[in-house]
Amino acid sequence: MSSLYERLGGEAAVNAAVELFYRKVLADGRIARFFDGVDMENQIAKQKSFLTMAFGGPNSYTGLDMRNAHKRLVAKGLNDSHVDAVIENLDSTLRTLGVPEKEVREVAAIANSVRDDVLCR
Amino acid sequence: MTLSPGETVLEALLRAGVETPHSCRAGQCQCCMLRAIEGAPPEESQRGLTEAQKALGFFLPCICRPTAPMKIVPPDDAGAPQEATIRAIEPLSEDVVRLRIETENFAYRPGQFLELIAEPGLSRHYSLASCPEEDPFLEMHVRLHPNGRMSRRLSADLRAGDKLHIAGPRGTCFYEGVAADQPLTLIGAGTGLAPLYGVLRDALRQGHRGPIRLYHGARDSKGLYLTDELQAFARARDFTYIPATLDTGGDVATLALAAEAPRAAHTAFFLCGGENLVKRLKRDLFMAGASMKAIRSDAFTPAG
C-alpha cells in the first residue's frame, strides 16, 4: 500500500495545504499571538516542513529540532490547548481540501505524536 | 572542494567542518539556503524557492547533488566593494535627493538594493530605481535626515565627480515570476518608491500586459515625488497612479488594502517602505488570499 504522503498527493498536497493552513492558524485567536513578529516567508517554509512530517512524507524529523523551535514559545505559555488548536486547524484545512476522514485522522495522529517534543516534556 | 559520489553539498560542507545552518535535510525548511555565483545549481535543488531566488542562483544544499562545478557563497554575501563615481545629486522633493552614480560591471535587477560606502564605517543600503537596459547609471533615492551622517555627506560634502564605493546587489524585490497578464500592484511609502519605480519600468520594458497600480504614501503632498513621470505613464498605459497623503486622510496601507483585498488572490504584489508598513501589508494581503510567493517585499530599517 502506498504511504499516507503519497495517498494525499505528495508534495503537491503539501503545497496546496500550507498557505491555507497558515492562514487558519494566523486567524485563530487562541494561537495567533505565538506568531507575532515572526517572518512569514520563513514560517511558511517551516509549516511545509511540519506538514511533510504530518503527512508521513520524506523528512529527517528529530525531536531535538522540534524542542529547540518551540522552547521560546513554551516559555511564553504554549500548552496542550494550543497544540489542540493547531491540530484542529490542520483537520479543517484537510477537510476544506476534500481529504477523506480516514486520512485526516491519520494525519492528526502523526501530528499528535510530536506533542511532547513541541511542549518540551 | 570535491564531493564524494552521491554526496549532497550540505554533507560535503559539514564533512569539511564548515559551519552552516541546516535543519530538515530534506529540502523543506530552507534554512540551509546558499547561492551559486558561478555554475547553475541542479533544478531539483531549487525546489520550492521563489522565481526571484531561482534567478539569482539560490539553492538548497541539503538536496543538491551537483553535476558540474559551482562557486557558492552564503545567502547574504554582497561581494567585494567596487569603486563608483557620483554623476549627480539632485533634489526630488523637499527632503529626498536623487543620487546617480556610475560604475563598471555592476549586474543588477531594478528593485534590488546595494550598499553605498561613503567612507570606512559609513555605509547605507539603498534600492535601485534605475534600469540597466535603459540607464547608463545607478539611481537611488535618498531621504535626507537632519542628523543623518550619510545625509550630511550627500547634501554638504559630496558632489559630481567624487568617488565612493558600492557592494552588492542584494534582495529579491524585482520583476520575476510575474505572469505578463497578471494584475501587478506596487505599494510603498517615502523612498520606497525607488525600488517600485525600478520594478514598474522593468515590467513595462518586459511587456507586462496586465493592469498595474502603484500606491505611493507620504505625510503630505510635498513628500510625493516623480509625480509628473508617473502621471505620464498613467496616460500612456494600463497603469493607475494612486498617491496617498496623511494630511488628506489617506493612510496608504488602509487605502491600498481596502482596494486590493478583494482581488488579492490573483495579484502580484511588491511592497516597499518602513518595516511596520511592509509587515502589516504582507500579513493582511496574505490573509486576504494573496499567495506568499506572489508577494515580494523590501523593508527599510532606519540607520543612525
Side-chain angles (χ1 to χ4, degrees):
Chain A
M1 189 167 169
S2 62
S3 72
L4 172 63
Y5 180 73
E6 286 163 26
R7 272 181 285 142
L8 287 170
E11 199 185 350
V14 173
N15 285 339
V18 66
E19 292 200 338
L20 183 59
F21 172 57
Y22 190 37
R23 262 184 212 113
K24 285 180 190 281
V25 165
L26 280 184
D28 187 334
R30 294 171 296 178
I31 46 180
R33 71 179 172 95
F34 292 107
F35 296 89
D36 282 352
V38 165
D39 177 86
M40 289 177 68
E41 272 148 292
N42 206 337
Q43 189 60 33
I44 281 190
K46 286 186 186 135
Q47 297 287 3
K48 264 188 97 162
S49 186
F50 169 67
L51 289 184
T52 303
M53 193 275 299
F55 288 8
N59 71 93
S60 306
Y61 172 74
T62 70
L64 196 64
D65 291 344
M66 212 48 118
R67 283 168 185 266
N68 281 334
H70 292 89
K71 220 180 274 171
R72 191 179 55 85
L73 302 180
V74 171
K76 273 172 78 180
L78 191 80
N79 62 35
D80 279 299
S81 76
H82 305 117
V83 176
D84 291 343
V86 167
I87 295 176
E88 211 180 283
N89 283 302
L90 182 52
D91 273 22
S92 119
T93 301
L94 297 178
R95 292 208 166 88
T96 307
L97 294 172
V99 172
E101 188 58 33
K102 179 173 170 284
E103 275 76 16
V104 174
R105 278 204 297 269
E106 279 182 63
V107 170
I110 298 177
N112 219 351
S113 72
V114 304
R115 181 185 290 264
D116 284 351
D117 284 332
V118 166
L119 295 175
C120 301
R121 291 194 290 231
Chain B
M1 185 161 153
T2 309
L3 276 75
S4 311
E7 197 177 37
T8 66
V9 171
L10 178 65
E11 286 161 354
L13 288 171
L14 295 175
R15 176 168 55 82
V18 179
E19 276 194 33
T20 186
H22 61 281
S23 174
C24 81
R25 294 181 178 234
Q28 299 289 345
C29 72
Q30 299 187 358
C31 64
C32 63
M33 187 154 63
L34 297 175
R35 187 177 165 208
I37 51 169
E38 279 170 35
E43 203 183 316
E44 169 66 14
S45 68
Q46 297 185 307
R47 200 178 69 201
L49 302 185
T50 66
E51 294 306 314
Q53 288 170 329
K54 289 179 190 173
L56 293 173
F58 285 98
F59 69 98
L60 302 172
C62 72
I63 51 167
C64 181
R65 294 181 174 82
T67 51
M70 296 196 300
K71 188 171 177 186
I72 62 178
V73 295
D76 55 358
D77 186 84
Q82 64 183 93
E83 194 179 73
T85 308
I86 295 177
R87 179 161 158 170
I89 305 175
E90 311 155 341
L92 279 173
S93 76
E94 222 168 48
D95 61 352
V96 176
V97 294
R98 166 155 62 199
L99 169 65
R100 284 179 173 167
I101 60 175
E102 270 173 35
T103 189
E104 281 173 24
N105 297 325
F106 190 80
Y108 71 99
R109 299 286 305 268
Q112 285 196 286
F113 60 88
L114 55 66
E115 184 181 2
L116 186 78
I117 307 155
E119 64 190 40
L122 178 56
S123 73
R124 299 282 183 272
H125 291 109
Y126 296 110
S127 295
L128 290 158
S130 46
C131 261
E133 291 82 2
E134 294 176 7
D135 302 323
F137 48 77
L138 303 174
E139 175 170 319
M140 289 147 275
H141 301 160
V142 181
R143 171 136 180 261
L144 298 178
H145 301 272
N147 297 312
R149 286 173 62 210
M150 183 65 92
S151 298
R152 278 205 303 271
R153 289 301 302 276
L154 286 172
S155 56
D157 306 337
L158 292 168
R159 53 200 35 123
D162 286 349
K163 307 276 186 201
L164 36 69
H165 286 83
I166 56 172
R170 282 165 56 188
T172 55
C173 194
F174 56 85
Y175 186 79
E176 188 70 50
V178 181
D181 49 6
Q182 192 177 9
L184 174 63
T185 294
L186 316 165
I187 311 172
T191 52
L193 182 60
L196 299 183
Y197 191 67
V199 169
L200 169 70
R201 287 177 60 206
D202 199 23
L204 294 173
R205 192 187 59 79
Q206 292 195 48
H208 189 84
R209 294 188 304 268
I212 308 177
R213 289 178 292 273
L214 185 151
Y215 298 81
H216 184 215
R219 267 166 304 189
D220 52 44
S221 59
K222 283 182 287 185
L224 298 172
Y225 64 92
L226 291 180
T227 48
D228 292 345
E229 288 86 343
L230 292 167
Q231 274 155 4
F233 278 132
R235 281 190 294 273
R237 321 257 189 164
D238 187 359
F239 169 70
T240 315
Y241 167 50
I242 305 132
T245 57
L246 282 176
D247 61 344
T248 54
D251 162 54
V252 69
T254 309
L255 184 78
L257 281 168
E260 298 297 324
R263 53 190 169 216
H266 311 290
T267 303
F269 291 99
F270 285 80
L271 316 173
C272 300
E275 212 173 352
N276 289 340
L277 174 84
V278 168
K279 263 192 181 167
R280 175 183 168 198
L281 286 170
K282 198 193 265 191
R283 189 196 148 98
D284 289 3
L285 290 168
F286 173 70
M287 295 306 276
S291 170
M292 190 48 76
K293 283 210 169 110
I295 306 178
R296 294 150 189 79
S297 63
D298 187 4
F300 303 161
T301 41

